[in-house]
Amino acid sequence: MKNKEINLPPVPAVLLAIISVQCGAAIAKTLFPAIGAAGTASIRIGVSALILLLAYRPNLRAITSDQWKIVVPYGLSLGAMNLIFYFAIERIPIGLAVTLEFVGPLLLAIAGSKRWVDYCWVLLAAIGILLIAPWTNDRLDPIGILCALLAGAFWTAYIVLGGKISKIMNGGQAVSTGMLFAAILILPFGFIENGLANLTPKLFGMGIALALLSSAIPFTLEMKALGQLPPRTFSILMSLEPAAASICAFIFLQENLSFYEILAVVCVVIASAGSTLTAKK
């Protein structure tokens, strides 16, 4: 009976992982008024690091110098990505922040290509960014937009470094060690912002829920799905994340997007899914 309970089909598993991450982002934003973006990121990454360290128990003494050279920047990019993304959603709607962040991996996926179809996907993503850009006195914060794009750049670095470390280090050991350095990077910001001084048992409980929803649960579901789905199918499903973020933010935070902002999300989703469909093997 136990096996039947965890044997979730791969496609629903990925979709559930996406929803879990975006629900976690919605919870994170509700914590901002009490403990700030840096304090929220500190709890999420700190608790996630603790969970992973207990689960995988990495032997830090056994890590080689070549592994250290990659796993440390891998963890730092992971931490920077999360911290800066929280700074972004503190200022702009979650759906738009995820849409802008997604541009980083999209550009990485088609980097170096000289095919006209890939230029079309870049153009479509660029149109999406132009639709979001606050050309007039709009409600959108330019700093929030820049933070989302910067988070996308760190996401790109995280993907590249993750690919390298996966070739020379066990996955669980790499993730748990990397998360440790992510926590080391983020925790000082939580104390500097003084958000952690306002921590209460209730807020800490919400932080644990945030860590589970944003890290532990989706990580488990995605790893399970990756073993059963072709990478292309998995990437197409992940392309739905900006749309899922917009829907979750609307349901839980009542964040309404304008027509042009919705159109921007659609452009980036189509560009991401399209680049995956037309990509070379």
Side-chain angles (χ1 to χ4, degrees), residues 138-224:
D138 198 83
R139 63 192 179 96
L140 294 181
D141 188 322
I143 295 177
I145 291 175
L146 290 175
C147 283
L149 291 170
L150 184 57
F154 278 109
W155 190 2
T156 303
Y158 163 76
I159 292 170
V160 173
L161 292 168
K164 290 182 178 180
I165 196 64
S166 66
K167 296 176 182 177
I168 61 173
M169 195 172 179
N170 172 271
Q173 300 284 307
V175 171
S176 54
T177 305
M179 192 66 82
L180 173 62
F181 283 93
I184 291 172
L185 172 70
I186 290 178
L187 283 171
F189 288 93
F191 287 107
I192 291 170
E193 196 180 56
N194 207 31
L196 296 178
N198 300 323
L199 203 58
T200 64
K202 180 182 178 181
L203 292 173
F204 186 69
M206 292 177 68
I208 293 174
L210 170 62
L212 291 171
L213 285 170
S214 298
S215 300
I217 293 174
F219 175 76
T220 303
L221 290 170
E222 288 173 6
M223 289 300 289
K224 182 177 177 61

Side-chain angles (χ1 to χ4, degrees), residues 210-247:
L210 170 62
L212 291 171
L213 285 170
S214 298
S215 300
I217 293 174
F219 175 76
T220 303
L221 290 170
E222 288 173 6
M223 289 300 289
K224 182 177 177 61
L226 277 168
Q228 303 175 55
L229 283 177
R232 182 169 294 192
T233 304
F234 180 83
S235 298
I236 292 170
L237 290 171
M238 292 303 291
S239 299
L240 298 173
E241 196 147 2
S246 301
I247 294 169

Side-chain angles (χ1 to χ4, degrees), residues 37-266:
T40 304
S42 297
I43 293 176
R44 175 195 165 181
I45 297 300
V47 173
S48 297
L50 184 61
I51 291 172
L52 288 169
L53 288 170
L54 290 173
Y56 292 105
R57 299 182 182 276
N59 185 356
L60 301 182
R61 292 181 179 179
I63 298 176
T64 67
S65 60
D66 288 339
Q67 291 172 333
W68 278 122
K69 288 176 183 178
I70 301 178
V71 77
V72 172
Y74 163 77
L76 294 177
S77 63
L78 169 62
M81 173 184 70
N82 282 277
L83 178 63
I84 295 171
F85 177 73
Y86 277 11
F87 286 149
I89 64 174
E90 189 177 31
R91 295 171 176 270
I92 63 176
I94 292 174
L96 300 187
V98 173
T99 299
L100 290 166
E101 187 188 31
F102 231 76
V103 172
L106 170 62
L107 294 178
L108 175 64
I110 55 182
S113 174
K114 296 181 180 180
R115 298 184 305 158
W116 67 269
V117 68
D118 289 326
Y119 290 116
C120 291
W121 302 131
V122 172
L123 178 62
L124 188 59
I127 290 171
I129 295 174
L130 293 175
L131 289 169
I132 294 175
W135 300 112
T136 59
N137 292 326
D138 198 83
R139 63 192 179 96
L140 294 181
D141 188 322
I143 295 177
I145 291 175
L146 290 175
C147 283
L149 291 170
L150 184 57
F154 278 109
W155 190 2
T156 303
Y158 163 76
I159 292 170
V160 173
L161 292 168
K164 290 182 178 180
I165 196 64
S166 66
K167 296 176 182 177
I168 61 173
M169 195 172 179
N170 172 271
Q173 300 284 307
V175 171
S176 54
T177 305
M179 192 66 82
L180 173 62
F181 283 93
I184 291 172
L185 172 70
I186 290 178
L187 283 171
F189 288 93
F191 287 107
I192 291 170
E193 196 180 56
N194 207 31
L196 296 178
N198 300 323
L199 203 58
T200 64
K202 180 182 178 181
L203 292 173
F204 186 69
M206 292 177 68
I208 293 174
L210 170 62
L212 291 171
L213 285 170
S214 298
S215 300
I217 293 174
F219 175 76
T220 303
L221 290 170
E222 288 173 6
M223 289 300 289
K224 182 177 177 61
L226 277 168
Q228 303 175 55
L229 283 177
R232 182 169 294 192
T233 304
F234 180 83
S235 298
I236 292 170
L237 290 171
M238 292 303 291
S239 299
L240 298 173
E241 196 147 2
S246 301
I247 294 169
C248 287
F250 174 76
I251 294 172
F252 297 110
L253 299 173
Q254 288 75 54
E255 288 187 348
N256 298 306
L257 300 183
S258 68
F259 170 76
Y260 289 109
E261 291 165 354
I262 293 172
L263 192 58
V265 172
V266 172

